[in-house]
Amino acid sequence: MSNTLTRRFSRSGRRMAIVYGGLSLALIGSGTMAYGAIGSTGAGTASNARVVTAQTGTVTRSVSATGNAQPASTLNVGFATSGTVTEVDAKVGQQVKAGDVLAKLDPTAAQTNLQIAQLNLTSAQAKLSSAESGTSSSSGGGSSSVSGSTSVSSLQVTLANDQQSLVDVQRQANVNANGYQLTVDQAQAQLSKDQQQQTADAGTPAATQDQNAVDKDRNTLAVAQQNQAAGLAKDKQTVDQGGAKVASDQVALANAQTPASGTVDPSAVASAQAAVLQAQAAVTAAQKALDETTLTAPSAGTITALTGLVGETVTASGTSAASSSAAGSTGGAGTGTASSATSTGSSGSSSTAFLTLVDMSAVQVKVGFAEIDAVKVQAGQPATVTVSALTGTPLTGTVIAVDPTATVVSNVVTYNALVAVADAPATLKPGMTASVSVQVASHPNVVEVPTAAIQTQGGASFVNVDVNGKPVSTPVTTGLQGDNTTEITSGLTAGQQLLVSTGTVSTSTAATTGTRTGTGTGGGGGAGFTGGGGGGFPVGG
């Protein structure tokens, strides 16, 4: 009985050994099939590798951030003198050109001051003429006798007419001077704009076209400056001639009214000359004050805010540029609603800018970079700008400024930067959200491969070179790791093909009803079993 049981257990043990041995062989065979399925297109298998080619190209690294569009130029425009608003010729949303009339103040006081200044100048010039001729203003006053047929009354009429003519030519000279300066300013602004574009396009095919535009702008500016100098000189000559005519009339009238008393007093002449200079300066200032009662657009742009009302008393504020730097700038988008757009107006006093004028022909995007990215961002770097509200090709840009100090909001540290947008479309509005990708590093003409093709172990880098359909692990030296590709400085040449593991293998056979899957970069493990190592490529080949 004991021997019989022993023989039965022995036979049973041999049968179990055979079964387990067969199972082991099946598992080994299964693992071998999983590895062999790489690249297979047979039924019931799926490849876990793709073939890529090392090629010569440019590896770039970028950092990204999100911000808002804002105009590069925002002007707070106000009157240069105080007074009561009598006319508002602008409205929110209106596009204006340089020199367009925006609003006016009551000119009555300024006109009176100009007339008084002109009369004082006339009196000072008459006293100078008397001093230079050696006559005394206290002798013979009121005489109506004249030489020949010329009467005192006719000389007075001539003097009055010539004085009015002088006022007219002085006023026209001021108008001409403003026009000359406006033309020069416009030429200078266009030159600056095209120079900024030239800087942004440096190294691109557009650089030649930009240089031609800059050269043309410089020529235009030079012509404008020459015309300004010639025009000012001509107007000065006309004014001087008018002044000389008035002075001559005053001398003739003085001689007709007062007989010469003899000796010229040098001190009296010097005092009279000083009085004339002071009176002339007063006339110039009074004319300027009168001109400033009319508010004109200093440059082309769109009115985004208007605070002034008819009947309101405003104080002098002048025109100033709103901050467009990266630090602390709100962008000057002008999103406020003008009070005059909805109010009928009431008397009051205002010391703020009369209106806000923005120029959206030059657009910037203000973005905040995390500190780990901010150290890589510098002025002059190229950027790509994508505006979520606009469809189509992303816009090109250039970093123009980076804040040296941090901005901390809710304990998050960021550094603001300004990115100038080239050729901004008219549909780009202030405040629109934009994503900015700044290229912080670029290595051109290098061997590059997809970053996913590189494996790292023990500080060394490897790639699987495709040799007759089999992966051969090859050590390489890497350079710049870009956004999608990595530079290879040694170990590969352009044109070599690599096998890149996708990390999964699936098999299906008629003998089984399940699917076996392996993952990982280890070598030769049994697919579908925990700890098997997956169907990846073994490091070392």
Side-chain angles (χ1 to χ4, degrees), residues 192-472:
S192 300
K193 179 181 178 180
D194 288 344
Q195 285 176 330
Q196 291 177 354
Q197 184 63 44
Q198 182 184 34
T199 300
D201 292 342
T204 68
T208 301
Q209 183 178 357
D210 292 341
Q211 183 61 52
N212 293 336
V214 168
D215 292 341
K216 181 180 178 181
D217 294 341
R218 286 173 175 160
N219 182 64
T220 301
L221 177 60
V223 171
Q225 291 172 332
Q226 291 173 357
N227 291 340
Q228 181 185 40
L232 292 177
K234 181 179 179 180
D235 290 341
K236 183 178 184 302
Q237 181 180 11
T238 303
V239 171
D240 290 343
Q241 289 174 347
K245 185 65 171 64
V246 169
S248 176
D249 294 341
Q250 292 168 338
V251 170
L253 180 59
N255 289 337
Q257 293 175 330
T258 307
S261 60
T263 306
V264 174
D265 183 356
S267 61
V269 172
S271 178
Q273 288 174 335
V276 168
L277 292 177
Q278 291 177 346
Q280 183 63 64
V283 169
T284 301
Q287 182 64 59
K288 183 174 182 292
L290 177 60
D291 295 339
E292 290 173 346
T293 60
T294 299
L295 182 64
T296 59
S299 62
T302 302
I303 298 172
T304 59
L306 179 61
T307 61
L309 302 171
V310 173
E312 181 181 31
T313 299
V314 298
T315 57
S317 61
T319 297
S320 61
S323 172
S324 60
S325 65
S329 172
T330 59
T335 56
T337 302
S339 58
S340 62
T342 57
S343 302
T344 58
S346 60
S347 297
S349 178
S350 172
S351 60
T352 61
F354 194 83
L355 56 83
T356 301
L357 184 67
V358 303
D359 180 8
M360 285 299 292
S361 63
V363 181
Q364 300 172 345
V365 178
K366 178 187 172 185
V367 291
F369 286 99
E371 51 188 321
I372 193 173
D373 292 334
V375 296
K376 307 169 188 174
V377 180
Q378 299 177 3
Q381 291 172 334
T384 299
V385 179
T386 304
V387 182
S388 57
L390 305 180
T391 58
T393 305
L395 307 174
T396 59
T398 305
V399 178
I400 58 175
V402 181
D403 275 1
T405 56
T407 299
V408 181
V409 179
S410 299
N411 294 325
V412 177
V413 177
T414 59
Y415 288 82
N416 290 330
L418 283 178
V419 176
V421 180
D423 299 324
T427 50
L428 180 56
K429 304 297 183 183
M432 282 187 173
T433 301
S435 298
V436 176
S437 177
V438 177
Q439 186 183 111
V440 297
S442 178
H443 288 187
N445 299 319
V446 298
V447 177
E448 61 172 342
V449 299
T451 302
I454 301 172
Q455 305 172 28
T456 302
Q457 184 175 4
S461 297
F462 302 87
V463 295
N464 287 303
V465 177
D466 183 4
V467 178
N468 298 324
K470 295 182 179 181
V472 176

Side-chain angles (χ1 to χ4, degrees), residues 40-275:
S40 173
T41 58
T45 65
S47 172
N48 78 327
R50 60 189 176 95
V51 178
V52 299
T53 303
Q55 57 186 0
T56 301
T58 300
V59 177
T60 59
R61 179 185 296 172
S62 304
V63 295
S64 300
T66 301
N68 298 96
Q70 63 183 47
S73 172
T74 301
L75 296 178
N76 294 322
V77 182
F79 284 97
T81 188
S82 301
T84 302
V85 179
T86 58
E87 181 178 322
V88 176
D89 302 287
K91 60 182 179 180
V92 173
Q94 179 181 350
Q95 293 184 347
V96 297
K97 303 184 299 295
D100 285 354
V101 175
L102 304 177
K104 293 181 180 180
L105 299 179
D106 184 355
T108 303
Q111 290 172 340
T112 300
N113 291 337
L114 177 60
Q115 291 173 352
I116 293 173
Q118 290 170 338
L119 291 174
N120 289 336
L121 175 61
T122 299
S123 176
Q125 290 170 334
K127 291 179 180 179
L128 174 60
S129 298
S130 297
E132 289 174 337
S133 63
T135 61
S136 172
S137 59
S138 62
S139 62
S143 172
S144 60
S145 61
V146 296
S147 174
S149 61
T150 304
S151 65
V152 171
S153 59
S154 65
L155 289 175
Q156 289 174 331
V157 171
T158 300
L159 174 60
N161 291 336
D162 289 340
Q163 286 176 334
Q164 184 59 49
S165 297
L166 177 60
V167 170
D168 293 338
V169 297
Q170 286 174 332
R171 181 180 294 108
Q172 186 60 47
N174 287 332
V175 172
N176 293 343
N178 291 335
Y180 297 141
Q181 187 61 50
L182 177 61
T183 302
V184 170
D185 291 345
Q186 290 175 332
Q188 182 63 61
Q190 185 63 41
L191 174 60
S192 300
K193 179 181 178 180
D194 288 344
Q195 285 176 330
Q196 291 177 354
Q197 184 63 44
Q198 182 184 34
T199 300
D201 292 342
T204 68
T208 301
Q209 183 178 357
D210 292 341
Q211 183 61 52
N212 293 336
V214 168
D215 292 341
K216 181 180 178 181
D217 294 341
R218 286 173 175 160
N219 182 64
T220 301
L221 177 60
V223 171
Q225 291 172 332
Q226 291 173 357
N227 291 340
Q228 181 185 40
L232 292 177
K234 181 179 179 180
D235 290 341
K236 183 178 184 302
Q237 181 180 11
T238 303
V239 171
D240 290 343
Q241 289 174 347
K245 185 65 171 64
V246 169
S248 176
D249 294 341
Q250 292 168 338
V251 170
L253 180 59
N255 289 337
Q257 293 175 330
T258 307
S261 60
T263 306
V264 174
D265 183 356
S267 61
V269 172
S271 178
Q273 288 174 335

Side-chain angles (χ1 to χ4, degrees), residues 30 34 44-46 504-509 511-518 527-529:
S30 176
T45 65
T504 63
V505 173
S506 298
T507 61
S508 176
T509 66
T512 61
T513 59
T515 299
R516 298 170 179 173
T517 302
F529 292 86

